[in-house]
Amino acid sequence: MENAERVRDFLIEEAHWQGSRAELTDDLPLIENRVIDSMALLRLVAWLEAEFVIEIGDADVVPGNFGTIERITGLIQTKLAGNAGA
């Protein structure tokens, strides 16, 4: 399963997305559309770290990285690429 689908599944199951799966597109603004709030963001960060075995620092937890599923998957790829070089 691709990373975007894994994140989408998390948002549906754990953040209790009320809309349809089709509405939860890769470019839907998550914060503005209240898909995630501050508590859901904390759960998402913890899940991402465990699921992808990456470390997300405080400086990474900004709207620019968590504004859309596309941005979240970009962050995942950046962190995984950084781990590959370690």
Side-chain angles (χ1 to χ4, degrees):
M1 178 184 302
E2 74 173 272
N3 293 342
E5 289 304 312
R6 292 164 73 181
V7 171
R8 193 176 339 278
D9 286 345
F10 175 88
L11 294 173
I12 290 169
E13 296 166 16
E14 301 296 327
H16 309 292
W17 167 248
Q18 297 298 311
S20 73
R21 184 177 193 87
E23 290 175 290
L24 194 53
T25 61
D26 288 356
D27 60 352
L28 178 75
L30 301 175
I31 297 167
E32 292 87 344
N33 287 292
R34 300 174 192 232
V35 177
I36 55 174
D37 59 14
S38 58
M39 291 305 294
L41 180 59
L42 293 175
R43 289 194 315 270
L44 176 59
V45 168
W47 176 79
L48 290 170
E49 290 181 326
E51 184 75 10
F52 295 97
V53 191
I54 57 177
E55 184 175 328
I56 298 174
D58 292 343
D60 296 318
V61 184
V62 295
N65 287 332
F66 289 89
T68 65
I69 291 174
E70 183 175 49
R71 289 183 181 168
I72 295 168
T73 57
L75 176 64
I76 294 166
Q77 291 306 319
T78 298
K79 293 298 182 176
L80 289 173
N83 287 348

